[in-house]
Amino acid sequence: MGFEHELIIPNEGFPFKIFQFEGKDGAYRREKHWHRSIEIFAVFEGSISFYINEEQYVLKAGEFILLNSNEIHSVHAPVPNKTLVLQIPLKLFEDYYVENQMIVFTHNPKKHDKKIMEYIQEIYIAYMEKKTGYEWKVKSDFFMLVYVLVTKYRQQEVSMEQLRHHKKLDQLSMITSYIREHYDKELSLEKVAQVFGYSPSYLSRMFQKYAKTNYKTYLQSVRIQYAFQEFANTSHTVSEIAMNHGFPNSKAFSKEFKRMYGVLPSEYRKEKKDKKMP
């Protein structure tokens, strides 16, 4: 099929992507998802919460979390924060795979955590300022960071259950990439199962067992994420946005919006408008 799940496009000229977290203003939720890249969230101000395989991690200023390839996670950022995100394509670690294109880093705090935070901050500052010779500064700090990851944070062994889980999520990644490409169309479980040669019941069980969510919930979470971007950045009506993003009507969109963000679309726009007023 050739689908890639949440394809990471590195910053031009570099083997990684670094950016400021999109939930920096607070009132942000991103429901369960996963990707093949290695991802680090480093918090410098405020706090954010992660849920990884149902376990909660609350990050405060000065702390980071490292997300492995195919590790199911969600992120909640209720308050404003300053967080940098570093995404590293999995292929960069191919010389260190355990097997089946798998590498695992530990979540446990290490004495090198402070150094990781320093490297990420230095990379971001140099990349944004772009002073003469910044490319060498950025690459130098990045490769030192990778060195610390593979020598101090990498797990040497993984269990058969971890390997099996990783393989199944690789398969699901192709399916969820297809969903993200076609989310705005009629996309029943039966139709997606047929595209990939599975029975609907088998595909449903894959989502439940390995993604820890059901198909409908995953599809709705994708739709609301894309719809929210249009809603927050345009003056389009609720009905227009619902139609653009696969919702059957404005009522269904509003219901999902409130479930995800805690307020109705009309309330969100009013709050946003009030904040802008002097």
Side-chain angles (χ1 to χ4, degrees):
M1 286 282 179
F3 298 113
E4 291 287 338
H5 181 70
E6 296 195 14
L7 180 66
I8 302 303
I9 301 176
N11 297 112
E12 186 174 357
F14 299 100
F16 61 86
K17 182 176 182 179
I18 191 167
F19 56 94
Q20 192 166 351
F21 175 45
E22 62 182 351
K24 64 183 183 300
D25 297 325
Y28 175 92
R29 291 169 63 97
R30 177 80 192 275
E31 293 303 323
K32 291 177 181 177
H33 63 287
W34 68 95
H35 38 69
R36 285 182 56 77
S37 66
I38 303 300
E39 190 169 45
I40 301 175
F41 281 72
V43 181
F44 291 90
E45 295 176 13
S47 64
I48 58 177
S49 294
F50 275 85
Y51 293 84
I52 303 175
N53 299 324
E54 310 300 330
E55 185 172 352
Q56 184 180 20
Y57 298 80
V58 179
L59 300 185
K60 302 184 293 295
E63 298 178 337
F64 73 88
I65 198 161
L66 197 157
L67 299 162
N68 288 302
S69 173
N70 286 342
E71 195 159 44
I72 299 167
H73 59 280
S74 61
V75 56
H76 299 178
V79 299
N81 61 88
K82 181 179 179 182
T83 302
L84 298 180
V85 184
L86 178 67
Q87 296 174 329
I88 309 174
L90 185 62
K91 185 175 175 59
L92 192 72
F93 298 99
E94 62 183 350
D95 290 339
Y96 303 94
Y97 290 157
V98 179
E99 60 177 287
N100 196 35
Q101 295 189 332
M102 186 177 183
I103 186 170
V104 178
F105 296 99
T106 180
H107 292 288
N108 298 328
K110 298 278 187 179
K111 64 180 181 180
H112 301 88
D113 284 3
K114 185 177 179 181
K115 199 64 183 175
I116 293 290
M117 294 292 292
E118 290 174 357
Y119 283 136
I120 291 174
Q121 186 173 41
E122 289 292 311
I123 291 167
Y124 184 74
I125 291 173
Y127 178 77
M128 295 302 293
E129 291 181 346
K130 291 182 169 56
K131 294 180 180 178
T132 302
Y134 81 96
E135 299 94 340
W136 299 109
K137 167 66 172 170
V138 169
K139 290 176 181 178
S140 172
D141 285 334
F142 173 71
F143 287 120
M144 282 304 300
L145 181 148
V146 170
Y147 168 75
V148 174
L149 289 181
V150 298
T151 58
K152 306 300 181 183
Y153 290 82
R154 181 170 60 104
Q155 289 184 204
Q156 299 294 328
E157 298 180 359
V158 296
S159 66
M160 289 302 297
E161 178 58 29
Q162 284 177 299
L163 286 170
R164 183 161 48 249
H165 188 84
H166 180 82
K167 184 178 180 180
K168 287 295 183 181
L169 280 175
D170 263 353
Q171 294 173 358
L172 269 178
S173 290
M174 292 191 296
I175 297 167
T176 54
S177 291
Y178 179 85
I179 291 170
R180 296 182 80 88
E181 289 182 10
H182 301 86
Y183 76 93
D184 53 344
K185 301 177 177 61
E186 197 286 317
L187 210 59
S188 67
L189 173 67
E190 290 74 18
K191 181 175 181 179
V192 175
Q194 183 179 30
V195 169
F196 288 90
Y198 297 130
S199 70
S201 59
Y202 179 79
L203 181 57
S204 178
R205 287 197 301 273
M206 282 182 70
F207 267 93
Q208 289 283 4
K209 183 173 182 179
Y210 295 101
K212 308 299 182 185
T213 188
N214 62 55
Y215 173 81
K216 183 178 179 181
T217 298
Y218 181 81
L219 175 59
Q220 290 295 81
S221 71
V222 170
R223 284 174 169 165
I224 199 65
Q225 287 162 25
Y226 283 103
F228 179 79
Q229 295 301 316
E230 183 177 346
F231 184 79
N233 297 302
T234 73
S235 59
H236 297 167
T237 67
V238 169
S239 295
E240 289 173 328
I241 293 169
M243 184 177 297
N244 290 344
H245 296 279
F247 291 96
N249 51 54
S250 59
K251 184 178 179 181
F253 168 70
S254 296
K255 181 180 178 180
E256 187 65 19
F257 191 99
K258 183 164 186 180
R259 185 192 72 79
M260 180 73 81
Y261 301 106
V263 295
L264 290 170
S266 57
E267 295 169 338
Y268 176 87
R269 274 194 171 158
K270 184 177 184 304
E271 288 177 7
K272 191 175 181 182
K273 183 178 179 181
D274 289 345
K275 286 180 180 178
K276 289 183 176 179
M277 293 178 66

